[in-house]
PDB file of all heavy atoms in Angstrom:
ATOM      1  N   TRP A   1     103.964-143.590-126.098  1.00  0.00           N
ATOM      2  CA  TRP A   1     104.107-143.786-127.643  1.00  0.00           C
ATOM      3  C   TRP A   1     102.882-144.700-128.076  1.00  0.00           C
ATOM      4  O   TRP A   1     102.966-145.846-128.202  1.00  0.00           O
ATOM      5  CB  TRP A   1     105.451-144.562-128.032  1.00  0.00           C
ATOM      6  CG  TRP A   1     105.723-144.731-129.327  1.00  0.00           C
ATOM      7  CD1 TRP A   1     105.868-145.962-130.038  1.00  0.00           C
ATOM      8  CD2 TRP A   1     105.962-143.849-130.434  1.00  0.00           C
ATOM      9  NE1 TRP A   1     106.100-145.843-131.383  1.00  0.00           N
ATOM     10  CE2 TRP A   1     106.105-144.511-131.659  1.00  0.00           C
ATOM     11  CE3 TRP A   1     105.904-142.446-130.597  1.00  0.00           C
ATOM     12  CZ2 TRP A   1     106.327-143.921-132.884  1.00  0.00           C
ATOM     13  CZ3 TRP A   1     106.115-141.782-131.684  1.00  0.00           C
ATOM     14  CH2 TRP A   1     106.366-142.614-132.856  1.00  0.00           C
ATOM     15  N   ASP A   2     101.784-143.989-128.308  1.00  0.00           N
ATOM     16  CA  ASP A   2     100.522-144.649-128.660  1.00  0.00           C
ATOM     17  C   ASP A   2     100.021-144.067-129.955  1.00  0.00           C
ATOM     18  O   ASP A   2     100.638-143.243-130.647  1.00  0.00           O
ATOM     19  CB  ASP A   2      99.499-144.534-127.593  1.00  0.00           C
ATOM     20  CG  ASP A   2      99.221-143.022-127.193  1.00  0.00           C
ATOM     21  OD1 ASP A   2      99.661-142.182-127.937  1.00  0.00           O
ATOM     22  OD2 ASP A   2      98.621-142.806-126.208  1.00  0.00           O
ATOM     23  N   SER A   3      98.775-144.490-130.292  1.00  0.00           N
ATOM     24  CA  SER A   3      98.237-144.146-131.633  1.00  0.00           C
ATOM     25  C   SER A   3      98.026-142.502-131.764  1.00  0.00           C
ATOM     26  O   SER A   3      98.267-141.996-132.744  1.00  0.00           O
ATOM     27  CB  SER A   3      96.958-144.792-131.913  1.00  0.00           C
ATOM     28  OG  SER A   3      96.076-144.523-130.824  1.00  0.00           O
ATOM     29  N   ILE A   4      97.670-141.923-130.586  1.00  0.00           N
ATOM     30  CA  ILE A   4      97.449-140.424-130.534  1.00  0.00           C
ATOM     31  C   ILE A   4      98.767-139.746-130.841  1.00  0.00           C
ATOM     32  O   ILE A   4      98.774-138.786-131.663  1.00  0.00           O
ATOM     33  CB  ILE A   4      96.834-140.018-129.309  1.00  0.00           C
ATOM     34  CG1 ILE A   4      95.423-140.641-129.103  1.00  0.00           C
ATOM     35  CG2 ILE A   4      96.691-138.480-129.284  1.00  0.00           C
ATOM     36  CD1 ILE A   4      94.426-140.290-130.095  1.00  0.00           C
ATOM     37  N   SER A   5      99.805-140.161-130.174  1.00  0.00           N
ATOM     38  CA  SER A   5     101.127-139.576-130.408  1.00  0.00           C
ATOM     39  C   SER A   5     101.652-139.831-131.662  1.00  0.00           C
ATOM     40  O   SER A   5     102.432-138.932-132.390  1.00  0.00           O
ATOM     41  CB  SER A   5     102.091-140.036-129.228  1.00  0.00           C
ATOM     42  OG  SER A   5     102.352-141.379-129.279  1.00  0.00           O
ATOM     43  N   LYS A   6     101.379-140.952-132.362  1.00  0.00           N
ATOM     44  CA  LYS A   6     101.910-141.251-133.700  1.00  0.00           C
ATOM     45  C   LYS A   6     101.159-140.254-134.659  1.00  0.00           C
ATOM     46  O   LYS A   6     101.788-139.767-135.573  1.00  0.00           O
ATOM     47  CB  LYS A   6     101.650-142.751-134.018  1.00  0.00           C
ATOM     48  CG  LYS A   6     102.548-143.553-133.253  1.00  0.00           C
ATOM     49  CD  LYS A   6     102.176-145.037-133.360  1.00  0.00           C
ATOM     50  CE  LYS A   6     103.017-145.847-132.524  1.00  0.00           C
ATOM     51  NZ  LYS A   6     102.613-147.427-132.568  1.00  0.00           N
ATOM     52  N   LEU A   7      99.804-140.012-134.452  1.00  0.00           N
ATOM     53  CA  LEU A   7      99.177-139.088-135.346  1.00  0.00           C
ATOM     54  C   LEU A   7      99.678-137.735-135.167  1.00  0.00           C
ATOM     55  O   LEU A   7      99.864-136.909-136.160  1.00  0.00           O
ATOM     56  CB  LEU A   7      97.628-139.055-134.974  1.00  0.00           C
ATOM     57  CG  LEU A   7      96.770-140.324-135.529  1.00  0.00           C
ATOM     58  CD1 LEU A   7      95.350-140.199-134.878  1.00  0.00           C
ATOM     59  CD2 LEU A   7      96.790-140.355-136.930  1.00  0.00           C
ATOM     60  N   ALA A   8      99.982-137.268-133.894  1.00  0.00           N
ATOM     61  CA  ALA A   8     100.630-135.908-133.717  1.00  0.00           C
ATOM     62  C   ALA A   8     102.021-135.928-134.343  1.00  0.00           C
ATOM     63  O   ALA A   8     102.329-134.823-134.937  1.00  0.00           O
ATOM     64  CB  ALA A   8     100.784-135.688-132.225  1.00  0.00           C
ATOM     65  N   LEU A   9     102.764-136.981-134.402  1.00  0.00           N
ATOM     66  CA  LEU A   9     104.004-137.028-135.026  1.00  0.00           C
ATOM     67  C   LEU A   9     103.852-136.761-136.500  1.00  0.00           C
ATOM     68  O   LEU A   9     104.588-135.969-137.122  1.00  0.00           O
ATOM     69  CB  LEU A   9     104.798-138.376-134.778  1.00  0.00           C
ATOM     70  CG  LEU A   9     106.198-138.509-135.461  1.00  0.00           C
ATOM     71  CD1 LEU A   9     107.160-137.420-135.030  1.00  0.00           C
ATOM     72  CD2 LEU A   9     106.703-139.916-135.333  1.00  0.00           C
ATOM     73  N   MET A  10     102.892-137.505-137.145  1.00  0.00           N
ATOM     74  CA  MET A  10     102.563-137.376-138.512  1.00  0.00           C
ATOM     75  C   MET A  10     102.304-135.841-138.876  1.00  0.00           C
ATOM     76  O   MET A  10     102.887-135.342-139.834  1.00  0.00           O
ATOM     77  CB  MET A  10     101.483-138.275-138.961  1.00  0.00           C
ATOM     78  CG  MET A  10     101.665-139.625-138.891  1.00  0.00           C
ATOM     79  SD  MET A  10     100.269-140.682-139.142  1.00  0.00           S
ATOM     80  CE  MET A  10     100.147-140.645-140.875  1.00  0.00           C
ATOM     81  N   ALA A  11     101.472-135.205-138.064  1.00  0.00           N
ATOM     82  CA  ALA A  11     101.116-133.785-138.425  1.00  0.00           C
ATOM     83  C   ALA A  11     102.416-132.947-138.194  1.00  0.00           C
ATOM     84  O   ALA A  11     102.445-132.019-138.942  1.00  0.00           O
ATOM     85  CB  ALA A  11      99.997-133.430-137.322  1.00  0.00           C
ATOM     86  N   GLU A  12     103.164-133.060-137.234  1.00  0.00           N
ATOM     87  CA  GLU A  12     104.316-132.284-136.990  1.00  0.00           C
ATOM     88  C   GLU A  12     105.293-132.350-138.001  1.00  0.00           C
ATOM     89  O   GLU A  12     105.923-131.408-138.460  1.00  0.00           O
ATOM     90  CB  GLU A  12     104.979-132.572-135.585  1.00  0.00           C
ATOM     91  CG  GLU A  12     104.196-132.105-134.420  1.00  0.00           C
ATOM     92  CD  GLU A  12     104.198-130.495-134.288  1.00  0.00           C
ATOM     93  OE1 GLU A  12     105.184-129.927-134.552  1.00  0.00           O
ATOM     94  OE2 GLU A  12     103.108-129.969-134.166  1.00  0.00           O
ATOM     95  N   ILE A  13     105.506-133.582-138.544  1.00  0.00           N
ATOM     96  CA  ILE A  13     106.529-133.810-139.548  1.00  0.00           C
ATOM     97  C   ILE A  13     105.973-133.231-140.865  1.00  0.00           C
ATOM     98  O   ILE A  13     106.738-132.492-141.699  1.00  0.00           O
ATOM     99  CB  ILE A  13     106.813-135.280-139.889  1.00  0.00           C
ATOM    100  CG1 ILE A  13     107.625-135.840-138.686  1.00  0.00           C
ATOM    101  CG2 ILE A  13     107.416-135.575-141.195  1.00  0.00           C
ATOM    102  CD1 ILE A  13     107.876-137.286-138.668  1.00  0.00           C
ATOM    103  N   LYS A  14     104.653-133.227-141.107  1.00  0.00           N
ATOM    104  CA  LYS A  14     104.182-132.612-142.235  1.00  0.00           C
ATOM    105  C   LYS A  14     104.267-131.019-142.280  1.00  0.00           C
ATOM    106  O   LYS A  14     104.625-130.401-143.175  1.00  0.00           O
ATOM    107  CB  LYS A  14     102.695-133.009-142.435  1.00  0.00           C
ATOM    108  CG  LYS A  14     102.013-132.318-143.663  1.00  0.00           C
ATOM    109  CD  LYS A  14     100.961-133.319-144.385  1.00  0.00           C
ATOM    110  CE  LYS A  14     100.392-132.595-145.616  1.00  0.00           C
ATOM    111  NZ  LYS A  14     100.745-133.295-146.765  1.00  0.00           N
ATOM    112  N   LYS A  15     104.043-130.552-141.000  1.00  0.00           N
ATOM    113  CA  LYS A  15     104.070-129.116-140.774  1.00  0.00           C
ATOM    114  C   LYS A  15     105.522-128.518-140.846  1.00  0.00           C
ATOM    115  O   LYS A  15     105.703-127.623-141.488  1.00  0.00           O
ATOM    116  CB  LYS A  15     103.403-128.796-139.439  1.00  0.00           C
ATOM    117  CG  LYS A  15     103.384-127.284-139.102  1.00  0.00           C
ATOM    118  CD  LYS A  15     102.708-127.026-137.794  1.00  0.00           C
ATOM    119  CE  LYS A  15     103.666-126.460-136.826  1.00  0.00           C
ATOM    120  NZ  LYS A  15     103.011-126.311-135.467  1.00  0.00           N
ATOM    121  N   ASN A  16     106.385-129.242-140.230  1.00  0.00           N
ATOM    122  CA  ASN A  16     107.709-128.770-140.067  1.00  0.00           C
ATOM    123  C   ASN A  16     108.735-129.182-141.170  1.00  0.00           C
ATOM    124  O   ASN A  16     109.716-128.556-141.436  1.00  0.00           O
ATOM    125  CB  ASN A  16     108.371-129.038-138.697  1.00  0.00           C
ATOM    126  CG  ASN A  16     107.628-128.488-137.603  1.00  0.00           C
ATOM    127  OD1 ASN A  16     107.255-127.293-137.678  1.00  0.00           O
ATOM    128  ND2 ASN A  16     107.310-129.134-136.535  1.00  0.00           N
ATOM    129  N   TRP A  17     108.582-130.385-141.673  1.00  0.00           N
ATOM    130  CA  TRP A  17     109.423-130.821-142.749  1.00  0.00           C
ATOM    131  C   TRP A  17     108.861-131.050-144.119  1.00  0.00           C
ATOM    132  O   TRP A  17     109.449-131.493-145.007  1.00  0.00           O
ATOM    133  CB  TRP A  17     110.055-132.182-142.239  1.00  0.00           C
ATOM    134  CG  TRP A  17     111.199-132.038-141.203  1.00  0.00           C
ATOM    135  CD1 TRP A  17     112.530-131.758-141.472  1.00  0.00           C
ATOM    136  CD2 TRP A  17     111.027-131.968-139.875  1.00  0.00           C
ATOM    137  NE1 TRP A  17     113.063-131.682-140.327  1.00  0.00           N
ATOM    138  CE2 TRP A  17     112.391-131.868-139.241  1.00  0.00           C
ATOM    139  CE3 TRP A  17     109.997-132.153-138.902  1.00  0.00           C
ATOM    140  CZ2 TRP A  17     112.549-131.793-137.964  1.00  0.00           C
ATOM    141  CZ3 TRP A  17     110.179-132.182-137.517  1.00  0.00           C
ATOM    142  CH2 TRP A  17     111.587-131.920-137.054  1.00  0.00           C
ATOM    143  N   LYS A  18     107.521-130.846-144.149  1.00  0.00           N
ATOM    144  CA  LYS A  18     106.858-130.865-145.489  1.00  0.00           C
ATOM    145  C   LYS A  18     107.001-132.324-146.075  1.00  0.00           C
ATOM    146  O   LYS A  18     106.991-132.552-147.257  1.00  0.00           O
ATOM    147  CB  LYS A  18     107.360-129.960-146.479  1.00  0.00           C
ATOM    148  CG  LYS A  18     107.394-128.474-145.938  1.00  0.00           C
ATOM    149  CD  LYS A  18     106.036-127.816-145.658  1.00  0.00           C
ATOM    150  CE  LYS A  18     106.087-126.413-145.412  1.00  0.00           C
ATOM    151  NZ  LYS A  18     105.539-125.997-144.156  1.00  0.00           N
ATOM    152  N   LYS A  19     107.043-133.399-145.189  1.00  0.00           N
ATOM    153  CA  LYS A  19     107.078-134.674-145.562  1.00  0.00           C
ATOM    154  C   LYS A  19     105.834-135.446-145.133  1.00  0.00           C
ATOM    155  O   LYS A  19     105.270-135.245-144.021  1.00  0.00           O
ATOM    156  CB  LYS A  19     108.312-135.424-145.051  1.00  0.00           C
ATOM    157  CG  LYS A  19     109.602-134.934-145.620  1.00  0.00           C
ATOM    158  CD  LYS A  19     110.752-135.670-145.018  1.00  0.00           C
ATOM    159  CE  LYS A  19     111.346-136.573-146.082  1.00  0.00           C
ATOM    160  NZ  LYS A  19     112.545-137.398-145.725  1.00  0.00           N
ATOM    161  N   ASN A  20     105.261-136.394-145.970  1.00  0.00           N
ATOM    162  CA  ASN A  20     104.243-137.209-145.534  1.00  0.00           C
ATOM    163  C   ASN A  20     104.753-138.529-144.881  1.00  0.00           C
ATOM    164  O   ASN A  20     105.641-139.215-145.502  1.00  0.00           O
ATOM    165  CB  ASN A  20     103.334-137.557-146.768  1.00  0.00           C
ATOM    166  CG  ASN A  20     102.522-136.443-147.302  1.00  0.00           C
ATOM    167  OD1 ASN A  20     102.015-135.588-146.467  1.00  0.00           O
ATOM    168  ND2 ASN A  20     102.520-136.138-148.566  1.00  0.00           N
ATOM    169  N   LEU A  21     104.215-138.791-143.750  1.00  0.00           N
ATOM    170  CA  LEU A  21     104.661-139.984-142.992  1.00  0.00           C
ATOM    171  C   LEU A  21     103.425-141.043-143.032  1.00  0.00           C
ATOM    172  O   LEU A  21     102.310-140.608-142.705  1.00  0.00           O
ATOM    173  CB  LEU A  21     105.023-139.638-141.600  1.00  0.00           C
ATOM    174  CG  LEU A  21     105.409-140.623-140.583  1.00  0.00           C
ATOM    175  CD1 LEU A  21     106.609-141.268-141.189  1.00  0.00           C
ATOM    176  CD2 LEU A  21     105.625-140.170-139.326  1.00  0.00           C
ATOM    177  N   THR A  22     103.680-142.245-143.392  1.00  0.00           N
ATOM    178  CA  THR A  22     102.529-143.085-143.520  1.00  0.00           C
ATOM    179  C   THR A  22     102.596-144.018-142.262  1.00  0.00           C
ATOM    180  O   THR A  22     103.588-144.047-141.595  1.00  0.00           O
ATOM    181  CB  THR A  22     102.701-144.022-144.726  1.00  0.00           C
ATOM    182  OG1 THR A  22     103.906-144.880-144.508  1.00  0.00           O
ATOM    183  CG2 THR A  22     102.788-143.305-146.039  1.00  0.00           C
ATOM    184  N   VAL A  23     101.496-144.798-142.106  1.00  0.00           N
ATOM    185  CA  VAL A  23     101.395-145.639-140.833  1.00  0.00           C
ATOM    186  C   VAL A  23     102.466-146.744-141.014  1.00  0.00           C
ATOM    187  O   VAL A  23     103.115-147.163-139.957  1.00  0.00           O
ATOM    188  CB  VAL A  23     100.025-146.244-140.809  1.00  0.00           C
ATOM    189  CG1 VAL A  23      99.960-147.364-139.799  1.00  0.00           C
ATOM    190  CG2 VAL A  23      98.955-145.131-140.610  1.00  0.00           C
ATOM    191  N   ASP A  24     102.696-147.243-142.205  1.00  0.00           N
ATOM    192  CA  ASP A  24     103.714-148.309-142.440  1.00  0.00           C
ATOM    193  C   ASP A  24     105.084-147.761-142.036  1.00  0.00           C
ATOM    194  O   ASP A  24     105.876-148.581-141.405  1.00  0.00           O
ATOM    195  CB  ASP A  24     103.690-148.843-143.869  1.00  0.00           C
ATOM    196  CG  ASP A  24     102.464-149.643-144.141  1.00  0.00           C
ATOM    197  OD1 ASP A  24     101.908-150.201-143.272  1.00  0.00           O
ATOM    198  OD2 ASP A  24     102.030-149.702-145.393  1.00  0.00           O
ATOM    199  N   GLU A  25     105.277-146.554-142.351  1.00  0.00           N
ATOM    200  CA  GLU A  25     106.632-145.991-142.026  1.00  0.00           C
ATOM    201  C   GLU A  25     106.853-145.801-140.527  1.00  0.00           C
ATOM    202  O   GLU A  25     107.851-146.169-139.942  1.00  0.00           O
ATOM    203  CB  GLU A  25     106.847-144.709-142.768  1.00  0.00           C
ATOM    204  CG  GLU A  25     107.132-144.737-144.195  1.00  0.00           C
ATOM    205  CD  GLU A  25     106.934-143.503-144.934  1.00  0.00           C
ATOM    206  OE1 GLU A  25     106.149-142.682-144.512  1.00  0.00           O
ATOM    207  OE2 GLU A  25     107.640-143.456-146.071  1.00  0.00           O
ATOM    208  N   ILE A  26     105.735-145.478-139.878  1.00  0.00           N
ATOM    209  CA  ILE A  26     105.700-145.363-138.411  1.00  0.00           C
ATOM    210  C   ILE A  26     106.110-146.618-137.758  1.00  0.00           C
ATOM    211  O   ILE A  26     106.723-146.769-136.818  1.00  0.00           O
ATOM    212  CB  ILE A  26     104.402-144.747-137.823  1.00  0.00           C
ATOM    213  CG1 ILE A  26     104.450-143.132-138.172  1.00  0.00           C
ATOM    214  CG2 ILE A  26     104.315-144.857-136.368  1.00  0.00           C
ATOM    215  CD1 ILE A  26     103.112-142.477-137.676  1.00  0.00           C
ATOM    216  N   LYS A  27     105.458-147.628-138.242  1.00  0.00           N
ATOM    217  CA  LYS A  27     105.601-148.990-137.688  1.00  0.00           C
ATOM    218  C   LYS A  27     107.026-149.432-137.673  1.00  0.00           C
ATOM    219  O   LYS A  27     107.475-150.330-136.855  1.00  0.00           O
ATOM    220  CB  LYS A  27     104.678-150.069-138.398  1.00  0.00           C
ATOM    221  CG  LYS A  27     103.384-149.906-138.174  1.00  0.00           C
ATOM    222  CD  LYS A  27     102.452-151.037-138.970  1.00  0.00           C
ATOM    223  CE  LYS A  27     100.974-150.840-138.697  1.00  0.00           C
ATOM    224  NZ  LYS A  27     100.219-151.697-139.495  1.00  0.00           N
ATOM    225  N   LYS A  28     107.822-148.960-138.627  1.00  0.00           N
ATOM    226  CA  LYS A  28     109.322-149.331-138.829  1.00  0.00           C
ATOM    227  C   LYS A  28     110.094-148.518-137.714  1.00  0.00           C
ATOM    228  O   LYS A  28     111.327-148.924-137.532  1.00  0.00           O
ATOM    229  CB  LYS A  28     109.749-148.863-140.227  1.00  0.00           C
ATOM    230  CG  LYS A  28     109.098-149.738-141.264  1.00  0.00           C
ATOM    231  CD  LYS A  28     109.636-149.398-142.653  1.00  0.00           C
ATOM    232  CE  LYS A  28     108.832-150.149-143.813  1.00  0.00           C
ATOM    233  NZ  LYS A  28     109.166-149.664-145.094  1.00  0.00           N
ATOM    234  N   PHE A  29     109.657-147.441-137.139  1.00  0.00           N
ATOM    235  CA  PHE A  29     110.419-146.745-136.211  1.00  0.00           C
ATOM    236  C   PHE A  29     110.420-147.551-134.830  1.00  0.00           C
ATOM    237  O   PHE A  29     109.516-147.818-134.222  1.00  0.00           O
ATOM    238  CB  PHE A  29     109.700-145.358-135.876  1.00  0.00           C
ATOM    239  CG  PHE A  29     109.640-144.424-137.024  1.00  0.00           C
ATOM    240  CD1 PHE A  29     108.715-143.396-136.996  1.00  0.00           C
ATOM    241  CD2 PHE A  29     110.522-144.445-138.030  1.00  0.00           C
ATOM    242  CE1 PHE A  29     108.656-142.452-138.051  1.00  0.00           C
ATOM    243  CE2 PHE A  29     110.450-143.560-139.028  1.00  0.00           C
ATOM    244  CZ  PHE A  29     109.553-142.528-139.059  1.00  0.00           C
ATOM    245  N   GLN A  30     111.745-147.797-134.560  1.00  0.00           N
ATOM    246  CA  GLN A  30     112.003-148.587-133.327  1.00  0.00           C
ATOM    247  C   GLN A  30     112.700-147.668-132.408  1.00  0.00           C
ATOM    248  O   GLN A  30     112.411-147.811-131.042  1.00  0.00           O
ATOM    249  CB  GLN A  30     112.865-149.919-133.507  1.00  0.00           C
ATOM    250  CG  GLN A  30     112.126-150.844-134.465  1.00  0.00           C
ATOM    251  CD  GLN A  30     112.951-152.176-134.666  1.00  0.00           C
ATOM    252  OE1 GLN A  30     113.970-152.355-134.108  1.00  0.00           O
ATOM    253  NE2 GLN A  30     112.480-152.970-135.686  1.00  0.00           N
ATOM    254  N   GLN A  31     113.534-146.772-132.731  1.00  0.00           N
ATOM    255  CA  GLN A  31     114.257-145.935-131.794  1.00  0.00           C
ATOM    256  C   GLN A  31     114.067-144.508-132.511  1.00  0.00           C
ATOM    257  O   GLN A  31     113.775-144.307-133.538  1.00  0.00           O
ATOM    258  CB  GLN A  31     115.762-146.247-131.796  1.00  0.00           C
ATOM    259  CG  GLN A  31     115.967-147.672-131.283  1.00  0.00           C
ATOM    260  CD  GLN A  31     117.448-148.064-131.160  1.00  0.00           C
ATOM    261  OE1 GLN A  31     118.131-147.838-132.116  1.00  0.00           O
ATOM    262  NE2 GLN A  31     117.861-148.564-130.029  1.00  0.00           N
ATOM    263  N   VAL A  32     114.342-143.506-131.535  1.00  0.00           N
ATOM    264  CA  VAL A  32     114.278-142.112-131.948  1.00  0.00           C
ATOM    265  C   VAL A  32     115.115-141.825-133.195  1.00  0.00           C
ATOM    266  O   VAL A  32     114.766-141.138-134.152  1.00  0.00           O
ATOM    267  CB  VAL A  32     114.807-141.173-130.825  1.00  0.00           C
ATOM    268  CG1 VAL A  32     114.737-139.723-131.179  1.00  0.00           C
ATOM    269  CG2 VAL A  32     113.793-141.392-129.561  1.00  0.00           C
ATOM    270  N   LYS A  33     116.418-142.568-133.238  1.00  0.00           N
ATOM    271  CA  LYS A  33     117.246-142.278-134.370  1.00  0.00           C
ATOM    272  C   LYS A  33     116.642-142.666-135.723  1.00  0.00           C
ATOM    273  O   LYS A  33     116.931-142.059-136.729  1.00  0.00           O
ATOM    274  CB  LYS A  33     118.642-142.869-134.155  1.00  0.00           C
ATOM    275  CG  LYS A  33     118.559-144.397-134.175  1.00  0.00           C
ATOM    276  CD  LYS A  33     119.968-144.917-133.769  1.00  0.00           C
ATOM    277  CE  LYS A  33     119.914-146.407-133.538  1.00  0.00           C
ATOM    278  NZ  LYS A  33     121.197-146.906-132.911  1.00  0.00           N
TER     279      LYS A  33
END
């Protein structure tokens, strides 16, 4: 779970869920849920 995987997560969420994910939102993620 590093910066590269976080960027990949941002891209996948935009592609699959049409939602924009910000860096601040990623920082709040503590668990998969």
Side-chain angles (χ1 to χ4, degrees):
W1 181 243
D2 58 16
S3 58
I4 301 296
S5 61
K6 291 172 186 174
L7 285 172
L9 177 64
M10 291 172 81
E12 285 294 314
I13 286 177
K14 178 139 182 120
K15 181 175 119 184
N16 295 317
W17 281 274
K18 310 292 187 238
K19 290 182 110 177
N20 288 318
L21 180 61
T22 67
V23 173
D24 288 335
E25 289 165 328
I26 287 180
K27 288 179 182 177
K28 294 177 186 174
F29 296 157
Q30 294 181 12
Q31 295 179 318
V32 173
K33 64 184 168 190

